[in-house]
Amino acid sequence: MIVAVVAAGTGCGAPAAAHRPGSAGPAAAARTGRPEPTAAARTDVPEPATAPPPAQRPAGRVVALPGGPEGLALDAPDGILAVGIRQPAGVALVDAATGRERRVIRLPGAPRHLELAGPAGPVLAPLEDAGRLAQIALPGGAVTAVTRVGRHPHDAAADGSLTFVGNEYASTVSLVRGGRQIRVEPGPLQPGGVAAGGSFILVVGVRGRRVEAYSAAGRILGTAPAGVGPTHVQAGRGHRFYVADTEGDAVLIYRVRASGPHQAGTARTEPGRPYGIAVDRRRGLLYVTLTATNRLESFRISGGGLVPDQTWPTVRQPNSVAVDEATGRLFIAGRADSQLELIDPGTPGTPVPH
């Protein structure tokens, strides 16, 4: 079972290339949860908060994971959690049951996002500083391909045999098949998060404050506005995608069709600059990390909307979250103190009023 996880690091604000105007009209006015924030024109790039030392003991178990962990992808069939690390640059393969590191795969650059191309891999690791996409087979950890893509590849997602890579500083999307870049498409202004679901791909333009949708064949379908300061995206059921509006303290809900993306709702998070995001489709839950307050917040997916649920204290600088849909276990990477947090299902949190 694929559990795609979004996590980008600080330092995403370098200048990007010029971009063509978006083609979609205003976002839908429908909303769910707490009041919708007002979008404003911005020229900067949204970033996570610099997290303070934790004010509470993290929920669940905490294990040391050296290397500044950020970016998570779970191979549930093999019980392996892939974790991006920066020192040394590469990917750590971690036992999902214990949190213990099994081995480290050295790479020519460090990833911030990791995704799985299929239920048991390979791991897709965009290497920002190297301008390459690495693919890592599981469970063994062999590097099967290292593909030159665009400038500063930030996130990737696969639909069948085709992988979409967002090139942040080129404002393009590379299409990769069989370990080769076969085409480059225009992307939104400074693409950040990338997600695939229901034969559609959604890419977040962090500087442009827009999302752009593509067909599984790589055809551009259209764009739509994306809140105050969006960063990351995950796919849910029914052609729905969930975008973390980091500067707007919200999760934006999009429905993608052949006509393009359309905003279908907004759910306010607790204050805290939401950043990492994960979806448990089996249980109908969405999780988002709050980097300013070292917390994790959950929402119940109800119809087309999101209902605030609970919060839990986390490790410091929780830029990444993953969920094991087979068990419901949560994994949070704390970059600042090089820690991994494991929260088992049923661990009580603090209810969120709504």
Side-chain angles (χ1 to χ4, degrees):
M1 182 175 296
I2 299 175
V3 182
V5 182
V6 172
T10 57
C12 301
H19 180 63
R20 57 189 167 74
S23 60
R31 72 187 75 151
T32 61
R34 283 156 278 187
E36 184 176 8
T38 301
R42 303 290 292 272
T43 57
D44 60 319
V45 173
E47 298 282 7
T50 299
Q56 295 177 271
R57 181 177 179 176
R61 291 179 289 148
V62 175
V63 298
L65 187 61
E70 184 169 29
L72 305 172
L74 182 68
D75 169 10
D78 294 308
I80 296 172
L81 180 70
V83 185
I85 55 174
R86 311 194 69 77
Q87 300 163 350
V91 170
L93 300 184
V94 172
D95 188 312
T98 65
R100 294 178 181 171
E101 185 179 285
R102 294 183 179 181
R103 64 173 298 193
V104 172
I105 314 302
R106 296 285 193 99
L107 296 171
R112 287 192 176 132
H113 289 257
L114 296 179
E115 303 285 350
L116 294 186
V123 177
L124 304 175
L127 310 179
E128 292 182 329
D129 294 341
R132 288 169 168 81
L133 172 73
Q135 299 191 48
I136 303 167
L138 295 174
V143 179
T144 58
V146 179
T147 307
R148 183 177 290 278
V149 287
R151 187 181 174 202
H152 210 260
H154 192 64
D155 195 10
D159 190 295
S161 64
L162 195 60
T163 297
F164 294 72
V165 184
N167 301 310
E168 187 180 4
Y169 293 171
S171 292
T172 60
V173 175
S174 291
L175 276 56
V176 175
R177 177 180 285 132
R180 295 177 56 249
Q181 178 178 272
I182 62 170
R183 202 161 85 236
V184 178
E185 292 288 345
L189 184 58
Q190 202 161 336
V194 182
S199 299
F200 296 114
I201 291 82
L202 196 69
V203 180
V204 178
V206 296
R207 186 175 290 274
R209 271 68 176 181
R210 299 187 73 84
V211 294
E212 187 144 7
Y214 300 78
S215 71
R219 182 170 61 88
I220 297 173
L221 302 176
T223 75
V228 180
T231 52
H232 303 131
V233 57
Q234 283 298 308
R237 295 184 181 276
H239 300 162
R240 285 185 173 83
F241 291 79
Y242 302 95
V243 174
D245 187 353
T246 298
E247 290 189 342
D249 281 340
V251 176
L252 312 178
I253 306 166
Y254 289 87
R255 185 79 182 269
V256 178
R257 300 183 177 89
S259 58
H262 306 275
Q263 188 174 339
T266 300
R268 293 299 304 271
T269 68
E270 290 290 283
R273 292 183 75 89
Y275 199 62
I277 188 168
V279 177
D280 185 340
R281 299 170 187 83
R282 177 175 294 187
R283 294 167 183 79
L285 293 169
L286 179 142
Y287 298 94
V288 63
T289 65
L290 304 177
T291 54
T293 58
N294 296 314
R295 287 185 297 164
L296 178 73
E297 182 172 4
S298 66
F299 290 83
R300 298 191 306 276
I301 300 172
S302 178
L306 296 173
V307 179
D309 188 27
Q310 301 182 74
T311 64
W312 296 265
T314 70
V315 288
R316 187 177 182 182
Q317 201 63 59
N319 286 358
S320 315
V321 57
V323 59
D324 183 345
E325 291 186 277
T327 66
R329 175 174 289 167
L330 297 162
F331 304 87
I332 300 98
R335 177 173 174 175
D337 296 330
S338 289
Q339 294 177 319
L340 179 68
E341 180 178 4
L342 291 74
I343 302 178
D344 287 330
T347 301
T350 301
V352 177
H354 57 89

